[in-house]
Structures are given as C-alpha cells and as structure tokens.
Amino acid sequence: MWLLRAAGGAIYLKHKKRVKTYITCDIYSVKYFFFAVKQHAAHAVRSLLSLMMGGTECVVCGAQSCSFSVCSSCRKKYFTFSLCVGEERCAVCGRVLVSEHGVCMQCRREKVLEHTDTVLPLFSYRLWNSMLLFRWKINGERALSSFFAEQIALALKALPAFDAVVPVPPRPGKIRKKGWDQIEDICSFLESHYRIAVCRMLARNSKDEQKTLDKNRRLATAKRSYSVKTGSCLKKALYATNGIMPRAVCLIDDVLTTGATIESCASALTLAGVEHIHAVTLFIVD
C-alpha cells in the first residue's frame, strides 16, 4: 500500500512495508499544476464555444475576439500596467493628477484614506472600462479573471515589499447565492499561478451593497462593515503567513469609489497589528 503524507511544505509518497525512499515535490508546484490544467481546459472550452457562436465582440473596438471581451490588440493598447507607470498620482488615493500636484482636490477637501501607505488604482472607471467590469462582475464572464489577475500581479511588483495579499471579502452569502466572487477569483490566480501569499483574514459584517448607497451612507456604513477574523477562522487564514500576523499587506478590490471600503479594511488591519497597508484596485471612479 502506498501512503501519501504532507509535511514541511512537501508531499511524501512511501510504501507501507519495504520502500525506504521518498518521492518529494513542492506542494505549491502540485497545486499550480492542477490549477494550470484546469484553467487551460476551461480556456479551450470557452474558445471552442465562442468560435461556434461566431466569436465575442471586443467592448473597445468592436472587433471579433476569440474568448475574451477585449481583443489582443486592445489589451496591449489600453490594458497594460506599463501605461500606469510614470504618471503623477495623488499621494493619498492614487488618482492620476491632471493640474494638481501631490494631492488631488478631492483628498484635500476630505481625506478618507487615513490608514493606507500606498493606494494604486490601475484604470479609470470610464468608457469601455465600466462595460468590462459589468460583464465580469454582473454577467459573470469569469474568463476575464485571469486577465485582471495578470494586471494586478504586475502592479504588486511595483509596490514596497509586503507579506501577503488580503482580499476585500464579499457580502455574507454572496458566494453561496451566486457561486463565485470576482475578488476571490483573482486571488485564486494570484495564489496558484503567481504564487503570491493570500491571507483571507478579513470578514464582512454588513450585507448592504455599497453600490446602492450614496457617498455619505457609504462612509457611515463602511466604518463598521469590516473586521479581522477571530479564533480558529483567523488561525486558518494565517496559514498563508506561517501562523504569524503579517507586518505588511496589500488589500485587493475591484473598484475604488469613495475609498470608504479600503479605509474600513485598513483600519481593522491596523487595529490587529498590521504596520504597513498598501492597496491595489482595478478601477477608480474619478
């Protein structure tokens, strides 16, 4: 009989009776392998179905695309992280500055983000970007998750060193109701494909959808909407950082609107002992 055991980050395969040698492999390599197989299979199926139905229309230029809502040409032209490099940004919220210097006018009037070191929104929530987010988040086009994860993975390399990524958690019951969550999808890619530690240490306390609230209500409800997990739930989340509370983390979310969600999460993490908090979002409403 062959026995399979996991210890010290490796998988050990040995025979119960006489075999003394061990076959070892990095457990993350195994996880990556099966994740890659699953994603390649899903991509092949999507591409085949798309071709059978005449292709998918690019939301930017209208050209036919094989399986994504953005053709390869527009991906390179409008959705490359290098386009974000070199732009002068607000030191508080990360918005691209046009005529201001240092801090944008909105943050000068009302500084919402008090507990973040760096905030990096990648793209503006305008034109085709809003349609792309709608297709991904509302229509459930999960093929876009790998594309967005790639952009975030590139952005993470530009940030100061951190111990783990911390996703902004979904509403209670959302995954059970819809079957998936867009940020969790991205984190699966970051964890399994890019081998970035993901620490799911935050919990969401409110079931209210932020998009249905105005700015004042967003700010009021967000302050009590998120908290750090406790007990066995926190212990399980900290497996990603070897059971130790991380000193520096990077929050991940899809859209930065008022900054209330990021601030609430950052505040909770600060109270838990996290010293440096960065944040990356795919889009920013400006």
Side-chain angles (χ1 to χ4, degrees):
M1 179 186 291
W2 289 90
L3 299 178
L4 190 65
R5 296 190 306 166
I11 293 176
Y12 294 87
L13 184 66
K14 64 173 285 188
H15 196 274
K16 187 176 181 180
K17 294 182 179 179
R18 296 188 181 87
V19 178
K20 295 181 180 180
T21 57
Y22 291 86
I23 301 173
T24 65
C25 57
D26 183 359
I27 194 169
Y28 294 105
S29 296
V30 175
K31 189 174 183 179
Y32 168 76
F33 172 76
F34 285 109
F35 184 83
V37 169
K38 178 182 176 182
Q39 294 305 318
H40 282 302
H43 178 72
V45 172
R46 281 193 299 264
S47 298
L48 179 61
L49 291 175
S50 179
L51 287 173
M52 291 173 63
M53 298 176 66
T56 301
E57 187 177 278
C58 174
V59 297
V60 181
C61 67
Q64 292 299 107
S65 176
C66 182
S67 59
F68 285 104
S69 295
V70 184
C71 66
S72 57
S73 176
C74 290
R75 288 202 297 269
K76 294 177 182 177
K77 188 175 181 180
Y78 299 108
F79 297 96
T80 303
F81 174 68
S82 59
L83 296 174
C84 306
V85 178
E87 297 175 318
E88 187 178 359
R89 292 172 174 266
C90 174
V92 178
C93 69
R95 283 183 173 84
V96 175
L97 299 177
V98 180
S99 58
E100 311 100 325
H101 293 284
V103 179
C104 69
M105 293 302 298
Q106 184 169 331
C107 289
R108 290 180 187 180
R109 289 194 298 267
E110 183 180 17
K111 186 178 178 181
V112 175
L113 296 163
E114 299 279 357
H115 295 87
T116 51
D117 294 43
T118 310
V119 179
L120 180 58
L122 302 186
F123 308 107
S124 173
Y125 187 65
R126 295 180 182 179
L127 302 174
W128 50 74
N129 288 346
S130 59
M131 178 59 69
L132 199 61
L133 182 66
F134 181 85
R135 287 192 178 188
W136 177 52
K137 186 174 179 178
I138 307 301
N139 288 358
E141 292 188 19
R142 297 179 68 174
L144 290 167
S145 295
S146 61
F147 167 62
F148 287 139
E150 179 183 7
Q151 304 306 311
I152 287 181
L154 291 171
L156 293 176
K157 294 180 180 179
L159 294 177
F162 59 90
D163 301 312
V165 159
V166 177
V168 172
R171 298 187 314 277
K174 177 185 175 181
I175 295 179
R176 184 170 61 253
K177 180 180 179 180
K178 293 192 172 183
W180 76 298
D181 174 65
Q182 69 277 5
I183 300 303
E184 180 57 33
D185 239 26
I186 283 182
C187 286
S188 295
F189 278 95
L190 296 179
E191 193 173 38
S192 300
H193 185 74
Y194 298 99
R195 304 193 185 193
I196 297 172
V198 178
C199 185
R200 299 168 176 83
M201 60 188 295
L202 288 174
R204 183 165 174 174
N205 308 317
S206 170
K207 293 185 178 181
D208 295 332
E209 291 191 61
Q210 292 291 307
K211 64 182 180 182
T212 63
L213 307 178
D214 58 28
K215 181 179 178 180
N216 292 331
R217 290 185 64 193
R218 277 174 182 260
L219 294 172
T221 58
K223 291 180 180 179
R224 59 180 183 275
S225 293
Y226 300 91
S227 60
V228 173
K229 295 176 180 178
T230 58
S232 60
C233 293
L234 178 60
K235 184 178 179 180
K236 181 179 178 180
L238 293 179
Y239 284 162
T241 54
N242 298 318
I244 302 171
M245 181 65 69
R247 292 183 65 254
V249 302
C250 180
L251 286 163
I252 299 292
D253 203 6
D254 51 4
V255 184
L256 180 68
T257 306
T258 62
T261 296
I262 293 293
E263 172 58 21
S264 177
C265 293
S267 177
L269 291 169
T270 300
L271 289 174
V274 180
E275 298 176 16
H276 300 286
I277 302 167
H278 311 288
V280 171
T281 67
L282 284 168
F283 302 101
I284 183 169
V285 177
D286 53 6

